[in-house]
Amino acid sequence: MTDIKTEIQLSPNALKVLKARYLRRDPDRQTTQNPEELFRAVAARVASAELAWGDSAAVAEWEETFYRLMSTLAFLPNSPTLMNAGRPKGQLSACFVLPVEDTMESIFDAVKDMALVQATGGGTGFSFSRLRPKGDYVASTAGEAAGPVAFMRIFDCATENIKQGGRRRGANMGVLRVDHPDILEFISCKKVEPALRNFNISVAVTDAFMRAVEENGTQALLHPGTGREVDRKPAREIFEAIAASAWQTGDPGLLFLDPINRANPTPDLGPIEATNPCGEIPLLPYESCNLGSINLARLVRESDSGPVVDFEGLRLTTRRAVRFLDDVVEVGAYPIEPIARMTHGNRKIGLGVMGFADMLIRLGVSYDSDEAASTAEKIMGVVAEEALAASQDLARERGVFPNWEKSVYKRRGLALRNATRTAIAPTGTIGIIADTSPSIEPLFALAYRRSHVLDGQHLYEVNPLFLSSLREHGLPEDRVLPEVFAKGRLAEVQGLPEAVRRLFVTALEIPSRRHLEVQAAFQRHVDNSVSKTVNLPREATLEDVRDVYWRAWSLGLKGVTVYRYRSKAAQVFELGLSEESYQLEHGSSCDPGECNV
């Protein structure tokens, strides 16, 4: 790679990713931009929104503020904003949901709209629940319907030939309601790899279905056009099929429709039926959402009693980030007019965090502890509180979102600029740029290779906090590091202090209940949803998967994804640095960073 001159403190992997995906190039594919210039261009375009409510001095002030937010890696927006701000296409949103009605015209309009969205860097979600079941009579042709899964293959094929923003492969979420007659075919549609490789899939389940499973009841299967019952299955049969497929392949995930719609801020506009590809943004048809993430690893400071969370810095960063994201809604271009109308109507944003695991390590807190969940609760509570206050301030300054009159906030007398404000995204790619742990996930490993991020390249990573800890404890690097390089974790390394072992615990070593406790702690303060994978060891059983589902539902989560070690042939993360190292996928069927951030 040609050296890129930069004064911003960036890791070698961050520079590789920026050069491959974000920095401008000339027709000969030579880089013509450095990271400072990229962040300046993004800050200038986003801050130009300020002119609608202020003067050129306000624009200049906010441009500098936004530049500092990004250049210090305290906050980064989703990839489409970094890729497209100030460029001709100018599409800045990450997440979209498109409707699919039960007509050939609607299906192929959705394929076309998907292509337009993905060509500008967005990820797309679909509910296929309105499509008639396979084998159903089609009066117009006197033929038989192909069914949702067959049409999903058309979407998948189209995505395969689109590269998001010209820089990354597209990603989709496919959702089917648990009461659709084709639900069992849908559940197993990814069992033969590489079927639907550009889709994550989720079953949309109701509270009534979960209770029917619990009580050994039945689930009616309803024709989506008429609502007529066409079959009835034991609820446990469907539940067992979901668990078995997830155990085998990592798909499908579960979406809990009732919690999602209880939190729908604009129910008068219709129910929410689908999410973006990684599940953190439930959206109405034609809605899009802009994401950004605060780097928690940068918000630990030293005090007389030791390292503590810089809550003052967190509050200030949150308020600035909310303004940034609201400005993104204003200046972004949208692929089709219905998306522009719905996005401006609700002005949804999704501010989240990354670097949570690194923050815990800096604080001396094990991810596998009660304190980790309580820290999550405090952190996200502050973010939610400040995001709400910032949206109220923007409403006073700029007006409420246009659909406010049709929202739950009207009934509460709460004036807001944004229908939603918070979400937890995977941050796969922007986490590399920020050189921090992804999202709210535990450390995947202490040393690993990341595949399928850059075409034909591997990114090799060793956790720098672990290296520092070895030196602080006077541990023999020449003995410890070779074992970590080979295995990626400390489980088989002898002679280490228990405190070090607990502090640097990795994803597969953490009980599933801890994964869910952390997810629930964040979800309680998030008005969208949380993208989080419950990683299970290779030896995990079907009962373990079932237990994750029950705990997730009982905790009030909006969705859950399970991934059992080595249950996919194609992986994103590979434990250790050696070619013989084992492999582990970090949750979804595409790299979360590829999907939407």
Side-chain angles (χ1 to χ4, degrees):
M1 183 185 90
T2 304
D3 287 340
I4 301 171
K5 293 183 179 179
T6 178
E7 295 180 2
I8 301 174
Q9 298 298 310
L10 296 168
S11 71
N13 281 341
L15 290 170
K16 287 180 182 178
V17 169
L18 284 167
K19 183 179 180 183
R21 291 200 179 160
Y22 299 90
L23 302 180
R24 291 185 183 179
R25 299 177 183 178
D26 62 23
D28 295 324
R29 309 294 291 166
Q30 296 301 307
T31 304
T32 62
Q33 189 181 42
N34 65 30
E36 285 92 346
E37 291 166 337
L38 170 70
F39 291 142
R40 281 287 177 196
V42 174
R45 179 57 183 151
V46 174
S48 68
E50 299 286 334
L51 198 58
W53 300 279
D55 54 21
S56 57
V59 172
E61 179 183 349
W62 282 108
E63 178 182 337
E64 186 60 30
T65 297
F66 294 160
Y67 172 76
R68 288 199 305 271
L69 268 181
M70 292 182 289
S71 63
T72 59
L73 306 178
F75 161 87
L76 288 175
N78 52 219
S79 285
T81 299
L82 289 176
M83 289 176 174
N84 297 330
R87 298 188 185 185
K89 289 182 178 179
Q91 195 291 102
L92 310 181
S93 300
C95 309
F96 298 77
V97 162
L98 298 171
V100 184
E101 300 294 339
D102 190 36
T103 68
M104 200 64 72
E105 292 82 1
S106 175
I107 291 167
F108 281 91
D109 280 346
V111 173
K112 178 192 71 176
D113 294 342
M114 176 196 75
L116 294 173
V117 167
Q118 292 184 359
T120 58
T124 40
F126 307 91
S127 171
F128 293 98
S129 300
R130 296 175 183 266
L131 299 187
R132 70 190 73 184
K134 183 178 182 179
D136 200 45
Y137 178 70
V138 181
S140 61
T141 62
E144 293 185 349
V149 173
F151 282 111
M152 287 172 65
R153 295 189 183 105
I154 296 173
F155 285 75
D156 186 65
C157 183
T159 297
E160 189 68 26
N161 292 282
I162 302 166
K163 206 171 187 181
Q164 287 183 315
R167 299 179 184 221
R168 56 181 186 162
R169 183 165 55 83
N172 302 298
M173 170 66 83
V175 177
L176 199 71
R177 285 181 59 99
V178 73
D179 56 12
H180 192 282
D182 287 359
I183 189 61
L184 291 176
E185 181 188 10
F186 176 82
I187 288 167
S188 62
C189 69
K190 293 190 70 175
K191 280 190 175 181
V192 180
E193 296 189 66
L196 298 171
R197 67 188 299 263
N198 302 297
F199 267 96
N200 294 333
I201 64 169
S202 286
V203 176
V205 300
T206 60
D207 289 347
F209 168 76
M210 296 298 287
R211 286 192 292 268
V213 175
E214 195 171 30
E215 297 164 6
N216 204 22
T218 59
Q219 172 64 54
L221 303 183
L222 309 175
H223 190 286
T226 65
R228 178 175 56 88
E229 182 176 324
V230 298
D231 198 0
R232 185 170 284 270
K233 296 281 187 184
R236 284 189 183 175
E237 177 184 336
I238 300 173
F239 183 79
E240 287 297 321
I242 296 169
S245 184
W247 180 88
Q248 181 179 337
T249 71
D251 281 297
L254 289 186
L255 293 182
F256 298 112
L257 277 184
D258 292 314
I260 284 173
N261 279 288
R262 282 194 288 269
N264 181 359
T266 55
D268 292 353
L269 299 180
I272 293 174
E273 301 178 23
T275 74
N276 70 314
C278 287
E280 74 272 18
I281 305 291
L283 294 170
L284 294 167
Y286 291 121
E287 275 192 311
S288 73
C289 190
N290 303 295
L291 309 178
S293 298
I294 295 169
N295 185 355
L296 296 178
R298 300 278 172 142
L299 288 167
V300 177
R301 63 177 178 82
E302 290 297 326
S303 73
D304 292 341
S305 58
V308 295
V309 177
D310 179 7
F311 281 106
E312 182 179 350
L314 179 62
R315 291 179 183 279
L316 182 61
T317 302
T318 298
R319 284 180 170 266
R320 289 172 172 174
V322 166
R323 192 179 190 100
F324 180 105
L325 293 174
D326 190 66
D327 283 352
V328 169
V329 176
E330 197 66 23
V331 301
Y334 299 93
I336 58 174
E337 193 278 333
I339 291 175
R341 183 172 63 250
M342 280 296 290
T343 301
H344 282 118
N346 289 337
R347 303 190 70 87
K348 287 185 174 179
I349 61 173
L351 177 63
V353 299
M354 56 184 166
F356 178 63
D358 282 356
M359 168 180 268
L360 291 179
I361 291 169
R362 292 180 185 276
L363 293 172
V365 174
S366 172
Y367 200 104
D368 184 13
S369 69
D370 293 340
E371 193 176 351
S374 64
T375 301
E377 192 97 37
K378 293 172 187 174
I379 292 292
M380 205 62 208
V382 169
V383 172
E385 177 185 333
E386 291 300 324
L388 184 72
S391 192
Q392 288 177 292
D393 289 345
L394 287 170
R396 285 188 286 270
E397 179 185 337
R398 303 175 174 184
V400 294
F401 61 93
N403 288 330
W404 182 81
E405 292 282 344
K406 301 175 183 178
S407 77
V408 297
Y409 304 119
K410 161 75 175 194
R411 295 192 282 276
R412 299 173 190 168
L414 185 60
L416 292 171
R417 180 66 172 169
N418 314 96
T420 64
R421 298 151 302 282
T422 51
I424 304 293
T427 74
T429 308
I430 63 170
I432 299 173
I433 298 172
D435 194 26
T436 195
S437 56
S439 187
I440 62 169
E441 299 286 356
L443 295 183
F444 165 75
L446 302 180
Y448 59 86
R449 289 183 298 145
R450 190 191 295 253
S451 305
H452 312 298
V453 177
L454 304 179
D455 291 342
Q457 296 186 49
H458 296 298
L459 296 182
Y460 297 86
E461 301 186 26
V462 179
N463 188 277
L465 295 177
F466 174 64
L467 293 176
S468 297
S469 181
L470 283 183
R471 292 164 191 147
E472 288 172 10
H473 286 83
L475 296 172
E477 294 182 28
D478 58 345
R479 180 178 66 82
V480 175
L481 288 180
E483 294 190 61
V484 171
F485 291 161
K487 305 290 177 58
R489 57 190 185 184
L490 300 180
E492 295 85 9
V493 181
Q494 301 298 314
L496 293 179
E498 184 60 25
V500 172
R501 200 181 298 278
R502 280 189 53 75
L503 191 59
F504 290 96
V505 66
T506 56
L508 288 182
E509 301 169 288
I510 295 170
S512 61
R513 66 181 178 83
R514 290 291 193 197
H515 285 271
L516 292 171
E517 286 167 1
V518 169
Q519 182 173 346
F522 278 100
Q523 182 64 81
R524 282 190 283 273
H525 301 281
V526 166
D527 46 28
N528 282 294
S529 191
V530 176
S531 178
K532 169 90 179 70
T533 298
V534 178
N535 283 296
L536 298 175
R538 173 73 171 171
E539 62 273 16
T541 65
L542 273 175
E543 183 57 37
D544 294 324
V545 176
R546 297 187 199 105
D547 181 65
V548 169
Y549 289 161
W550 285 114
R551 285 179 183 270
W553 180 55
S554 66
L555 287 168
L557 300 182
K558 295 179 181 178
V560 65
T561 300
V562 174
Y563 188 79
R564 183 177 64 89
Y565 178 48
R566 302 185 75 189
S567 60
K568 269 193 175 80
Q571 319 276 2
V572 173
F573 291 97
E574 301 176 2
L575 275 169
L577 302 184
S578 66
E579 292 300 319
E580 296 78 19
S581 59
Y582 293 118
Q583 297 183 333
L584 177 66
E585 166 75 25
H586 192 61
S588 60
S589 62
C590 53
D591 177 2
E594 298 280 86
C595 291
N596 64 341
V597 290

